[in-house]
Amino acid sequence: EPLIILKDIGRKYVIGTEIIHALKSVSLTINKGEFVALMGPSGSGKSTLMNILGCLDTPSKGEYILNGINVSNMTDNELAEVRNKEIGFVFQTFNLLPRNTALDNVALPLVYAGVNKENRRARASKSLENVGLGNRMDHKPNELSGGQRQRVAVARALINNPSIILADEPTGNLDTKTSIEIMGLIEDIHAKGNTIILVTHEEDIALHAHRIVRMRDGLVENDFANPNIQKVD
Ligand code: ADP
Ligand code: ADP
C-alpha cells in the first residue's frame, strides 16, 4: 500500500543569477510500514528531499502524493495541517524546549491539535513510558543524557500517531553505544508498523533500515533492499 508517491520531483533554488538544482528528478514510492535509510554525500539533496517529504517545503516540479492526497501545490496553512497530522520529526539536535519538562515537550504537538490538558498529560506520560522514560517525566532536557533527550524527541514524534516518522541524523550527536540504543528504539517503532525515513551518513546506522536509497547530485543513484534483513510482510 503506497503511503508516499513522488513523481519526477524537482526543487531548484534561485540565488541571484544562479540556479541550483538541489533535486533534478526524483521518483520514489514508499509503502506503509517501510523503513528507509536515505544516504548520499553532502549537497546531494537529502535535506531538500526530507523537507519536501515533511511538508516543510513544496517541489518546483513534479507531484507528491501523501496518503492519497496531492500535497504538491498546497498553501503553507494547508501544509502545516498535513504536517501536524501526518509527520513526526526527529532531529540530530533533539530540538526540545529547554525550559519545559520532558512531559511538556512530548505533549506540545497535542496543544496544536487542540487536545485538553488532562488528555495531553495522560497521552504524553504513556508515550514517555513507551520509550522507557516513565521515571523522567518531570526532568528538563539539561537534566537528561543525550540518549534520554533523543528518547523524549522520539516520544514527541509519536504522540500524534503520525503516518511517517522522519529522522534526520538522529544519532549524529550520540556516542556509539547510545546510537545503538536509539536505533534499537527506532527498530521497535518500525516493528509496531510505523513507516520510517532516516537520513544518515553512517553505513552502520543505515544497515538497520530495510531499504537504502542513495542520492547523488539531486538524483536517486540507487535504491535497494538491505540484503542483511529478511523481509517480513
Ligand atoms: P544534503 O542534505 O544532501 O547535504 P541539501 O538538500 O542540503 O543536500 O542540498 C542540495 C543542494 O541544494 C546543495 O547544492 C545546497 O547547497 C543547495 N541548497 C540547499 N538548501 C538551499 C537553500 N535553502 N538555498 C539555496 N541552496 C540550497
Ligand atoms: P545537512 O546536510 O547536515 O542537513 P544543511 O541542510 O544545513 O546540512 O545544509 C546542507 C547544504 O545545503 C550545505 O552545503 C549548505 O551550505 C547548503 N545550504 C543550506 N541552506 C542554504 C542556504 N540557505 N543557502 C545556500 N546553501 C544552503
Side-chain angles (χ1 to χ4, degrees):
E1 191 188 342
L3 180 60
I4 290 170
I5 302 172
L6 300 176
K7 287 185 206 161
D8 188 25
I9 289 285
R11 177 67 167 99
K12 61 185 175 192
Y13 296 107
V14 182
I15 305 172
T17 56
E18 199 190 350
I19 299 176
I20 297 166
H21 291 274
L23 296 176
K24 290 172 183 158
S25 171
V26 172
S27 297
L28 272 180
T29 300
I30 297 174
N31 290 329
K32 196 169 170 355
E34 280 200 81
F35 182 0
V36 179
L38 196 56
M39 300 195 77
S42 187
S44 59
K46 303 181 300 295
S47 301
T48 302
L49 184 58
M50 287 292 265
N51 287 341
I52 291 172
L53 288 170
C55 297
L56 293 161
D57 186 22
T58 50
S60 334
K61 71 158 185 181
E63 275 191 352
Y64 175 16
I65 317 288
L66 168 59
N67 237 343
I69 299 165
N70 189 340
V71 298
S72 330
N73 300 307
M74 282 189 167
T75 64
D76 287 350
N77 283 339
E78 290 169 332
L79 279 180
E81 206 169 301
V82 173
R83 200 158 63 228
N84 290 337
K85 197 161 147 267
E86 307 279 355
I87 319 280
F89 293 96
V90 178
F91 305 94
Q92 177 171 3
T93 50
F94 319 132
N95 291 23
L96 301 174
L97 297 175
R99 292 177 205 283
N100 291 46
T101 63
L103 188 81
D104 287 342
N105 268 285
V106 173
L108 194 62
L110 299 178
V111 175
Y112 301 126
V115 176
N116 72 44
K117 189 163 185 180
E118 201 180 326
N119 282 324
R120 289 203 302 267
R121 286 192 71 87
R123 281 170 62 180
S125 58
K126 187 87 184 45
S127 194
L128 279 167
E129 279 164 21
N130 288 342
V131 299
L133 287 181
N135 56 350
R136 293 286 187 278
M137 302 210 207
D138 296 323
H139 290 237
K140 293 187 178 159
N142 68 5
E143 298 165 334
L144 299 168
S145 69
Q148 289 171 336
R149 287 179 207 186
Q150 197 58 299
R151 284 175 186 270
V152 173
V154 169
R156 179 185 56 190
L158 287 168
I159 191 90
N160 264 338
N161 296 316
S163 319
I164 317 169
I165 304 289
L166 295 179
D168 194 349
E169 298 278 2
T171 61
N173 276 334
L174 302 175
D175 60 47
T176 304
K177 180 168 167 284
T178 311
S179 295
I180 291 167
E181 271 173 37
I182 291 295
M183 289 315 297
L185 177 62
I186 291 175
E187 282 180 355
D188 292 345
I189 289 163
H190 173 246
K192 288 179 186 154
N194 288 288
T195 308
I196 295 167
I197 305 176
L198 163 88
V199 169
T200 184
H201 286 100
E202 296 174 71
E203 300 286 340
D204 290 1
I205 297 293
L207 288 174
H208 290 263
H210 292 219
R211 175 178 172 190
I212 300 175
V213 173
R214 215 174 281 269
M215 314 251 328
R216 181 177 290 276
D217 300 333
L219 295 167
V220 173
E221 184 181 49
N222 57 52
D223 178 356
F224 55 89
N226 181 353
N228 300 317
I229 291 177
Q230 296 289 322
K231 200 157 184 272
V232 279
D233 278 318

